[in-house]
Amino acid sequence: MSSSNPQGAKGSITSLKTRPLERSVALTRLGVGAGAKIVAHSIANIFRGEVERNDANREFYRRQAEVLADELGQLKGSVMKAGQMLSLYGQYFLPEEAVSVLSSLQDDTPPVDWKVVRPVLERALGRKRLAELDIDEVPLAAASLGQVHRARRRADGLQLCVKIQYPGVADAIESDIRTLSRLLLMTRLTPKSLDLTPVFNEVREMLHREVDYESERHFTEVFAERLTHDPRFVVPRVIGEYCSDQVLTTTYEHGLNVRDAKVQALAQARRDRLGQAFLELFLTEFFDWGMVQSDPHFGNYRVRIGDDEASDRFVLLDFGATRVFGRGFIDGYAKIVRGAIGGDRQRLIDGATAIGLMKPGFPRSVLDGFAELCELIVEPFAHADDTRVPARLRTADGRYRWGESDLPMRASRVAALNALSVHFRVPPREIVFLHRRLAGVFIMLAALRSELAARPLLERALRRCEKSESP
């Protein structure tokens, strides 16, 4: 095994706070410190002019987020996963400076020292099996619940990725969620009026799924089988003899982050093809398979650049957050989508009622407000001549310019207005999971600056869905 030390700006973590009490104390101490800084900052603002006050506020939010991100990265586990979610969707309710800092949790978190994770590996596989591998002690990637080490099987040189779960993370989930919800209020990074209960309920369920490595192995194998003949995607192959409930070993598959300069420098046509593949994958997962990988942060997707446009591929990683949807929910959601893109509000409302988003007897104004939001969200799938789509978001031949779109912000404003209604309902859990991935699709296509005529893709998926509904 390699004996090199972890390199980079952030050193490795030599010990983990794995007991719920010590993790809670660490976060509470952070919150108390943040409270004192908030008081000092508020007093100082009294004596500042408006411009100076705005600058001070931005700097304050940036410092608060840096402290929070650093502590989450040190603790790992549930709190770090929640931080990732905040960075992904925080643009709708967090200060811009906080989003910028928290986004570092996606791919730039401190690894855990080899001496901490090696005992997990030895207990899971046994020393004899472990001796068959040459494992690099410097992790290839460090995430919230575990880290991945590159390895080589000595017998044949097969390149592997060994994913090791951090000790104690499964036992700390409930305590972490309770403590973090209090911490976010203490740091004032989220508005007091924002109810994060549905978000944390989602995180809790997702985390319990993600620490289930046997389930993740199953979904990895299922995705690999279903995509085996699609040249646009690569799914790692599971190597079963090196797996356990805390260790998952697959083949190593190389690729680049979508934000990498080499990916960003690809010609428009190549970025469009990648964006179309990513969108089609989501539509297939939901409408055809009823099985969606619901954790969309960029660490789970890599781009493998080929020799030409036809050989560029997405490498799909980490299926721990895969969510299965029932046919009834899919059919009801399909009605919402058909109604939204076809201007059929009654069909839209019928679908929303079927899956619990709306209730019979809601006032017309509430139903119309919900329909307006749905019709706005499907903007990228509108006909090329639809005048409701801002002209700047269309290419000369009618394709939607995802990288230029401010649709998430416009939709969030409409959603916020609807949320003020006394009839607003917390959406079903399935919606929360599905829309998290849907938001991830939008962010991915925006990052690729894709220009797509997306409506035909959606219509084909809906037609396939209709066939599956037929007896």
Side-chain angles (χ1 to χ4, degrees):
M1 293 183 185
S2 169
S3 59
S4 56
N5 293 319
Q7 302 295 318
K10 297 186 178 183
S12 63
I13 300 172
T14 57
S15 65
L16 283 177
K17 297 181 177 73
T18 58
R19 297 184 180 88
L21 177 60
E22 61 182 346
R23 293 170 68 84
S24 179
V25 168
L27 285 171
T28 301
R29 186 185 301 117
L30 174 62
V32 171
K37 293 175 184 175
I38 288 167
V39 172
H41 174 73
S42 300
I43 293 174
N45 260 352
I46 296 175
F47 304 100
R48 295 181 176 121
E50 183 175 355
V51 174
E52 186 183 2
R53 186 181 301 123
N54 288 337
D55 290 341
N57 281 339
R58 286 194 292 270
E59 177 62 19
F60 172 74
Y61 287 131
R62 184 190 63 77
R63 290 197 307 268
Q64 288 285 77
E66 282 182 347
V67 173
L68 179 61
D70 183 67
E71 188 64 32
L72 298 189
Q74 294 289 327
L75 286 175
K76 299 291 188 179
S78 317
V79 289
M80 183 177 162
K81 177 62 70 172
Q84 290 178 348
M85 290 185 62
L86 288 174
S87 74
L88 191 60
Y89 306 113
Q91 59 183 305
Y92 308 135
F93 56 81
L94 287 179
E96 180 182 349
E97 293 75 21
V99 174
S100 176
V101 173
L102 287 174
S103 64
S104 67
L105 285 169
Q106 297 291 348
D107 293 301
D108 186 27
T109 55
V112 171
D113 194 271
W114 177 247
K115 69 179 182 181
V116 178
V117 296
R118 174 166 180 150
V120 177
L121 202 56
E122 289 183 340
R123 286 193 299 270
L125 303 183
R127 292 187 177 183
K128 182 178 180 180
R129 180 68 76 182
L130 194 57
E132 298 175 6
L133 304 178
D134 184 9
I135 303 178
D136 189 348
E137 295 178 11
V138 181
L140 187 66
S144 54
L145 304 176
Q147 62 191 38
V148 177
H149 289 255
R150 192 166 178 178
R152 182 183 64 87
R153 187 161 60 184
R154 291 172 174 168
D156 57 5
L158 181 64
Q159 297 296 309
L160 303 172
C161 282
V162 182
K163 182 176 180 180
I164 309 168
Q165 189 175 120
Y166 294 134
V169 295
D171 298 329
I173 290 175
E174 296 301 325
S175 174
D176 279 358
I177 295 298
R178 289 193 300 269
T179 305
L180 183 60
S181 63
R182 294 194 299 267
L183 176 63
L184 287 176
L185 293 176
M186 297 174 73
T187 55
R188 288 194 186 176
L189 286 177
T190 56
K192 289 183 179 179
S193 59
L194 181 65
D195 181 13
L196 289 177
T197 301
V199 175
F200 284 116
N201 286 340
E202 176 192 357
V203 174
R204 178 183 291 105
E205 181 169 333
M206 180 185 65
L207 286 166
H208 282 296
R209 289 175 179 271
E210 289 201 35
V211 296
D212 184 352
Y213 277 17
E214 292 178 355
S215 175
E216 181 176 349
R217 172 182 175 175
H218 165 73
F219 284 118
T220 304
E221 292 172 334
V222 171
F223 270 80
E225 179 183 357
R226 296 192 178 189
L227 293 172
T228 187
H229 298 300
D230 192 328
R232 299 173 299 173
F233 303 103
V234 177
V235 179
R237 177 166 56 92
V238 173
I239 310 300
E241 57 264 37
Y242 305 113
C243 294
S244 77
D245 60 347
Q246 289 184 297
V247 176
L248 179 63
T249 300
T250 66
T251 53
Y252 170 79
E253 304 293 346
H254 67 88
L256 301 172
N257 188 289
V258 67
R259 293 193 180 102
D260 189 280
K262 293 180 181 178
V263 177
Q264 292 295 310
L266 290 173
Q268 184 69 52
R270 296 178 74 165
R271 287 183 281 110
D272 291 347
R273 185 179 184 276
L274 285 168
Q276 178 171 328
F278 199 80
L279 176 57
E280 283 190 287
L281 176 63
F282 167 71
L283 296 173
T284 298
E285 286 181 35
F286 180 64
F287 288 112
D288 296 299
W289 301 345
M291 182 181 67
V292 176
Q293 199 285 72
S294 65
D295 187 3
H297 77 81
F298 285 170
N300 289 341
Y301 303 97
R302 290 288 184 265
V303 175
R304 181 179 296 178
I305 298 176
D307 295 331
D308 53 31
E309 175 183 333
S311 55
D312 295 333
R313 310 174 81 180
F314 267 108
V315 178
L316 311 180
L317 306 171
D318 196 341
F319 298 90
T322 301
R323 178 86 186 190
V324 175
F325 294 87
R327 197 72 241 172
F329 177 85
I330 297 170
D331 294 343
Y333 195 87
K335 287 182 180 178
I336 297 176
V337 176
R338 292 189 193 101
I341 64 173
D344 185 344
R345 289 198 168 182
Q346 188 56 54
R347 190 177 201 180
L348 188 159
I349 296 302
D350 288 345
T353 303
I355 63 175
L357 275 174
M358 294 284 108
K359 289 184 66 176
F362 273 9
R364 190 73 243 175
S365 59
V366 174
L367 300 178
D368 286 343
F370 175 76
E372 178 189 353
L373 175 62
C374 294
E375 290 165 355
L376 178 60
I377 290 174
V378 298
E379 175 182 278
F381 304 96
H383 284 298
D385 58 355
D386 192 325
T387 57
R388 291 173 298 180
V389 180
R392 61 184 176 82
L393 300 182
R394 291 289 193 194
T395 61
D397 57 356
R399 290 173 294 143
Y400 192 78
R401 303 177 68 189
W402 295 77
E404 300 297 322
S405 180
D406 60 349
L407 176 59
M409 296 301 295
R410 286 184 281 129
S412 68
R413 287 195 291 269
V414 174
L417 291 174
N418 289 338
L420 295 176
S421 168
V422 295
H423 300 281
F424 176 76
R425 294 169 55 82
V426 175
R429 187 70 55 83
E430 292 89 350
I431 285 288
V432 178
F433 277 94
L434 179 64
H435 284 187
R436 188 158 63 94
R437 171 62 185 283
L438 184 57
V441 171
F442 196 105
I443 293 169
M444 176 64 77
L445 268 61
L448 288 167
R449 307 189 311 283
S450 294
E451 298 175 353
L452 298 179
R455 188 182 185 94
L457 306 179
L458 178 59
E459 289 180 336
R460 284 199 294 270
L462 290 172
R463 284 195 294 271
R464 296 195 304 270
C465 185
E466 288 175 350
K467 290 180 180 179
S468 66
E469 292 178 39
S470 302

